[in-house]
């Protein structure tokens, strides 16, 4: 007669045990999901200026953005930057050293003096949390997606906490600037990382944002064009809820 009384207790215990296992599994699942989704960074402070983890890499267009718009409007903040006017993306790996005299005048943080771009990334990678990369206006006819992929892979390897933002190059009125080809290369490189399932590589449509706000030379940006570029960076971070 004692057995029937024990059965309800046993049945009551079973769901509690199942629930405990379920909670444990859910916690483990949440932890795995959190670990699988890396933290993204915009490098932007709440006031719209760049923090010390931001790195801007480019050619004369980035030179102008940093030296003119960002500096004059107190948006540069503590950003790192390096820009080589007249250079295509091959400059990242070809050993050209950052300098401010002679036949080439580059723009960069003073601690980068004499270093090639890839060495800067390797030496300061632990500090970098957001990379804004725009190169492709120069040597646009000979570049290829694989070069962009190689550069981004290198940045990701040496900057473990960085989110990399590829940016489309702006329109140009000069026939030798193959901006459509360059942007197709950039989009193809971006798709490569999308297919890999890497959320740390993002694409900003700066081509559309900048429009045709060009100086009379048909290549470089007016101040309005630089403002549109900056606004596109800020809007992208806001729309995608990406913190500093």
């Amino acid at each position: 007669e004692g057995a029937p009384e024990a059965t309800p207790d046993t049945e009551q215990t079973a769901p509690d045990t199942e629930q405990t296992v379920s909670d444990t599994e859910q916690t483990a699942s949440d932890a795995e999901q959190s670990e699988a989704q890396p933290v993204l960074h915009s490098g932007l402070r709440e006031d719209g200026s760049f923090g010390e983890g931001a790195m801007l890499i480019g050619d004369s267009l980035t030179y102008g953005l940093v030296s003119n718009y960002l500096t004059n409007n107190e948006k540069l903040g503590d950003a790192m930057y390096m820009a080589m006017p007249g250079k295509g993306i091959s400059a990242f790996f070809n050993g050209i050293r950052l300098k401010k005299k002679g036949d080439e005048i580059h723009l960069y943080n003073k601690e980068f003096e004499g270093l090639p771009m890839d060495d800067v990334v390797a030496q300061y990678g632990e500090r970098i949390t957001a990379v804004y990369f725009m190169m492709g206006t120069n040597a646009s006819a000979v570049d290829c997606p694989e070069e962009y992929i190689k550069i981004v892979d290198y940045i990701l390897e040496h900057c473990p906490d960085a989110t990399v933002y590829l940016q489309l190059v702006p329109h140009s009125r000069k026939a030798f600037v193959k901006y459509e080809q360059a942007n197709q290369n950039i989009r193809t490189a971006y798709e490569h990382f999308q297919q890999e399932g890497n959320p740390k590589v993002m694409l900003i449509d700066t081509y559309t944002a900048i429009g045709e706000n060009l100086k009379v030379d048909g290549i470089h940006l007016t101040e309005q064009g630089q403002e549109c570029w900056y606004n596109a960076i800020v809007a992208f971070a806001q729309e995608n809820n990406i913190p500093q």
Side-chain angles (χ1 to χ4, degrees):
E1 292 182 1
E5 296 178 2
T7 301
D9 293 339
T10 304
E11 290 175 351
Q12 182 63 40
T13 303
D16 292 341
T17 304
E18 289 174 2
Q19 184 64 43
T20 302
V21 172
S22 177
D23 290 345
T24 303
E25 289 175 347
Q26 184 63 43
T27 301
S29 176
D30 291 344
E32 289 174 1
Q33 185 174 1
S34 177
E35 186 175 333
Q37 296 295 325
V39 177
L40 302 179
H41 300 280
S42 67
L44 289 166
R45 296 167 172 155
E46 289 187 4
D47 66 358
S49 66
F50 287 97
E52 61 183 8
M55 165 67 86
L56 288 79
I57 302 175
D59 49 33
S60 60
L61 299 181
T62 296
Y63 192 121
L65 179 71
V66 171
S67 64
N68 183 43
Y69 183 80
L70 296 180
T71 299
N72 293 344
N73 291 278
E74 300 183 348
K75 299 299 185 183
L76 183 59
D78 296 312
M80 293 173 276
Y81 51 88
M82 51 183 177
M84 291 187 173
K87 301 299 181 184
I89 60 175
S90 62
F92 188 88
F93 284 122
N94 70 5
I96 298 176
R97 296 181 179 276
L98 293 161
K99 59 183 180 179
K100 294 184 178 179
K101 58 184 179 180
D103 57 343
E104 294 183 20
I105 305 297
H106 305 146
L107 185 72
Y108 50 88
N109 301 85
K110 60 182 181 180
E111 61 264 38
F112 302 164
E113 176 79 38
L115 295 175
M117 283 185 165
D118 56 342
D119 279 5
V120 170
V121 170
Q123 290 189 33
Y124 295 88
E126 297 292 331
R127 287 171 42 185
I128 299 172
T129 59
V131 176
Y132 289 90
F133 187 90
M134 186 194 277
M135 297 185 83
T137 295
N138 301 298
S140 52
V142 298
D143 291 337
C144 63
E146 289 72 24
E147 291 184 81
Y148 287 96
I149 292 170
K150 183 180 178 182
I151 291 170
V152 174
D153 276 334
Y154 184 89
I155 293 172
L156 292 172
E157 177 185 355
H158 291 88
C159 309
D161 295 326
T163 305
V164 180
Y165 297 90
L166 291 171
Q167 302 171 96
L168 299 181
V169 302
H171 172 83
S172 175
R173 293 193 293 267
K174 295 295 185 180
F176 62 82
V177 178
K178 309 297 183 183
Y179 62 90
E180 291 179 333
Q181 180 176 329
N183 285 335
Q184 185 56 52
N185 290 337
I186 295 168
R187 290 189 183 96
T188 300
Y190 170 68
E191 288 299 325
H192 166 83
F193 291 100
Q194 285 289 99
Q195 291 171 9
E196 282 191 344
N198 192 334
K200 295 178 69 176
V201 180
M202 313 196 87
L203 178 67
I204 303 179
D205 185 4
T206 36
Y207 170 82
T208 300
I210 293 170
E212 297 191 26
N213 289 298
L214 306 173
K215 292 183 176 181
V216 293
D217 64 10
I219 299 175
H220 298 97
L221 306 182
T222 61
E223 185 171 356
Q224 184 176 355
Q226 293 167 350
E227 181 178 13
C228 290
W229 179 359
Y230 165 76
N231 287 340
I233 291 173
V234 173
F236 189 91
Q238 292 175 341
E239 291 166 5
N240 292 280
N241 297 314
I242 304 173
Q244 181 181 338

